[in-house]
Amino acid sequence: SLAISTSDLPVLAANSFKTSDRLIAVSDPVFGDTNCYVAGTIEFPDGLYAASFDQLAFTELFGLTFRGKGGRLGSDYQRGATELVFSGTSSGYGLRVKGNGARSFNIEDMSVTYSGNGFTGTLIDVWNAPGFNHKNTYFGTDGVTAGTSYTTASALVQFTNAEYYQPQHSWMSGGTYGIYFYTARSTTSFGATNMNLSGLTLYNFTEAHVATDGTYAISCLSMNGTTFSPISVQPKRALRLRNVQGLDISGAKFNGAAVAYQPSIEWMNCTNCDGRITSALFGDRSHAGTLSGNLSVEGNYIYNTTGDGFRLMGGVVTARSNYFFDANKGYSVFPTLSV
């Protein structure tokens, strides 16, 4: 059983910022004009904080921060000092920040998790709220044993119209997708921009660790030193990217903990993407990836005893100085390929 503190704490504390002297007007050409309140930091002491799904939503608090005393980070076998746990049955959300008035929401030094297998929605839903970030956090399944770890959440963090997402020193585990850019829900033609996923380690997802739906273009997406490491769940892919302009993958690690959990299809699929993939490591037993667009692929290490290296399916892909260890083929060129 969980040692529970009241679930009302974050709501009551956040509402304390709604005073007349904190009311401001915010204008944005993409996200619209709105009135909101200047928020501050809510400090969470040590403990487990219970919350229900579809209840914790913020729409008019600018710069709100949740700060705990420590998240579980890279540990699967014990909880961190501060954990916000959502439980119950839902296909909706755990925590939602929506609209221009909820921009610059931050989570620091804590875990945000879901308990049980009755949740099939989005753990953290960021909808038209630019500037969401987190530091020293763990997002994902609450379970600390194999029997209580789940992958039923549709996504751990879902974005619609994202800007300036630059997390630091954070882990995610347990879901269909880790990070999902759901631009089809957008009310404008804007997808997302200025995002750097370099501070992340992601593992144990059934579809992909990071994915975009491709409805609207995403620009300036960096993954420098990001780790994609299936530990006990086999994904189809680590990356499934569509229509990314300014993709920068450098020094990333794609490698599972065991052969059985390498992706069933390939490590990455980058369709109609422009940018570079360099100095990355691709682990054993799965194809490195399928690529199309305008991409520079250089200086990568591909270790593959059963699969192929890169499949080139269209556009202008310049590949050189890549090292293939024991792969069946370094490059395969397809005029057309079903994705």
Side-chain angles (χ1 to χ4, degrees):
S1 61
L2 299 176
I4 300 297
S5 297
T6 175
S7 62
D8 293 332
L9 170 65
V11 175
L12 293 175
N15 285 338
S16 69
F17 297 118
K18 295 181 179 180
T19 59
S20 59
D21 61 329
R22 288 179 172 266
L23 184 65
I24 62 171
V26 175
S27 179
D28 189 282
V30 174
F31 298 100
D33 301 337
T34 189
N35 294 324
C36 60
Y37 299 91
V38 177
T41 299
I42 299 173
E43 301 282 353
F44 287 75
D46 293 6
L48 297 174
Y49 296 85
S52 299
F53 293 114
D54 307 315
Q55 300 295 319
L56 196 56
F58 301 102
T59 60
E60 55 182 3
L61 290 169
F62 181 96
L64 180 63
T65 296
F66 284 4
R67 180 180 295 145
K69 297 300 182 181
R72 83 167 64 174
L73 302 182
S75 171
D76 268 346
Y77 52 86
Q78 66 181 22
R79 295 187 178 93
T82 305
E83 188 163 323
L84 178 62
V85 187
F86 294 91
S87 59
T89 300
S90 172
S91 59
Y93 62 88
L95 170 66
R96 171 175 283 173
V97 287
K98 183 178 180 181
N100 199 28
R103 64 192 299 145
S104 300
F105 182 84
N106 284 277
I107 301 174
E108 300 177 4
D109 301 308
M110 62 187 294
S111 301
V112 179
T113 65
Y114 68 96
S115 178
N117 60 0
F119 180 55
T120 58
T122 300
L123 183 61
I124 300 175
D125 188 14
V126 186
W127 191 346
N128 291 9
F132 168 75
N133 274 294
H134 51 95
K135 179 173 67 175
N136 300 333
T137 57
Y138 168 85
F139 298 157
T141 176
D142 170 63
V144 294
T145 64
T148 58
S149 296
Y150 299 101
T151 57
T152 57
S154 62
L156 297 185
V157 180
Q158 177 175 273
F159 288 99
T160 297
N161 293 357
E163 283 187 313
Y164 314 121
Y165 178 54
Q166 300 177 357
Q168 301 176 45
H169 197 239
S170 294
W171 276 255
M172 296 186 188
S173 172
T176 303
Y177 297 101
I179 300 172
Y180 186 62
F181 294 96
Y182 183 32
T183 58
R185 190 172 57 173
S186 175
T187 57
T188 73
S189 60
F190 175 79
T193 189
N194 292 349
M195 292 164 297
N196 190 332
L197 312 187
S198 301
L200 292 179
T201 298
L202 302 102
Y203 55 100
N204 293 353
F205 299 98
T206 58
E207 282 287 336
H209 298 65
V210 178
T212 68
D213 65 4
T215 304
Y216 297 112
I218 289 175
S219 63
C220 301
L221 174 61
S222 297
M223 304 178 200
N224 300 325
T226 310
T227 299
F228 305 90
S229 181
I231 293 178
S232 58
V233 175
Q234 183 183 42
K236 293 180 180 178
R237 299 177 174 95
L239 295 180
R240 195 200 72 194
L241 305 178
R242 305 285 188 273
N243 300 338
V244 178
Q245 303 165 350
L247 176 65
D248 182 11
I249 300 175
S250 178
K253 180 182 179 181
F254 300 84
N255 194 32
V259 169
Y261 303 121
Q262 311 302 312
S264 60
I265 299 177
E266 59 195 352
W267 282 109
M268 64 165 61
N269 185 294
C270 301
T271 299
N272 193 30
C273 293
D274 304 332
R276 67 171 186 164
I277 302 167
T278 182
S279 304
L281 181 147
F282 294 87
D284 197 11
R285 305 282 178 172
S286 190
H287 304 299
T290 301
L291 309 176
S292 75
N294 292 284
L295 290 165
S296 173
V297 184
E298 182 175 356
N300 300 287
Y301 184 95
I302 299 94
Y303 181 88
N304 200 333
T305 58
T306 60
D308 297 336
F310 294 106
R311 299 171 174 182
L312 312 181
M313 59 175 285
V316 179
V317 180
T318 302
R320 61 186 177 185
S321 301
N322 296 296
Y323 181 84
F324 298 91
F325 181 85
D326 208 18
N328 289 336
K329 306 181 189 70
Y331 306 101
S332 300
V333 180
F334 295 86
T336 60
L337 183 66
S338 177
V339 178

